[in-house]
Amino acid sequence: MEPSIAEENVPEVGTAYVVCSMSDIPSQRARGFELMKVEDGVEKPFNLIVVRWGRQVFGYVNLCPHDGVKLDWERNQFLDPNGIRLMCGKHGALFELGTGVCIDGPCKGRSLTPVALSVIDNDICVTGVTLAEEEEDEDDEITSCSDEGGGV
């Protein structure tokens, strides 16, 4: 599925950017996306973790609060062996899925940075940030982001 800007049922927070379809992430799984956001007119990397639990989705910046490394120890491997918490692959810190709070490890008590997500027409959309858009030919659709592929 080609990511695009969601134009229908956009929440009041502003533009919603389609990251993927709900069906692209199985329930009780997480997936990473490498996006680009715009801050003060400058494009910056924006690495996102999307966790799906049934119809609920949670989003976090893919950055451990302990030392700033990405959480996935292998591509799209975010969950602990029991599949019930996010886990930093470098130091084993464990984070609650719904809150991002570290409950065990070197950053206990600190939290992952939340990212606002909405489900619009069965698409998972990021809101509250401005993503860099890649403009294609005039006849092509504008895309908002690209995922790093793969799945869990």
Side-chain angles (χ1 to χ4, degrees):
M1 175 182 166
E2 193 73 24
S4 63
I5 297 174
E7 295 182 9
E8 297 178 17
N9 305 320
V10 176
E12 291 181 24
V13 294
T15 304
Y17 298 88
V18 174
V19 177
C20 66
S21 171
M22 286 284 280
S23 62
D24 291 336
I25 304 174
S27 182
Q28 301 182 9
R29 301 288 184 183
R31 185 169 168 190
F33 296 89
E34 292 182 355
L35 312 175
M36 294 295 287
K37 67 179 177 177
V38 179
E39 280 185 0
D40 301 322
V42 178
E43 290 186 13
K44 298 179 179 181
F46 182 58
N47 296 311
L48 170 67
I49 302 167
V50 176
V51 180
R52 178 173 169 223
W53 208 266
R55 295 289 305 159
Q56 291 185 302
V57 292
F58 307 99
Y60 301 101
V61 173
N62 187 2
L63 207 61
C64 181
H66 174 237
D67 67 358
V69 298
K70 289 184 179 180
L71 266 64
D72 43 338
W73 38 281
E74 283 186 30
R75 188 176 187 158
N76 286 314
Q77 297 298 315
F78 294 102
L79 301 179
D80 70 352
N82 296 322
I84 57 171
R85 293 195 169 56
L86 292 166
M87 183 174 80
C88 176
K90 186 169 184 181
H91 297 102
L94 295 174
F95 302 86
E96 291 184 341
L97 294 177
T99 64
V101 173
C102 182
I103 58 165
D104 190 28
C107 51
K108 188 173 182 176
R110 296 174 67 193
S111 297
L112 298 171
T113 303
V115 174
L117 298 177
S118 296
V119 177
I120 302 172
D121 296 332
N122 216 35
D123 288 326
I124 299 172
C125 303
V126 63
T127 60
V129 297
T130 301
L131 295 183
E133 297 176 353
E134 298 176 16
E135 292 196 31
E136 309 259 339
D137 295 335
E138 283 183 25
D139 297 333
D140 290 342
E141 184 178 343
I142 296 174
T143 57
S144 308
C145 55
S146 59
D147 75 48
E148 63 182 42
V152 187

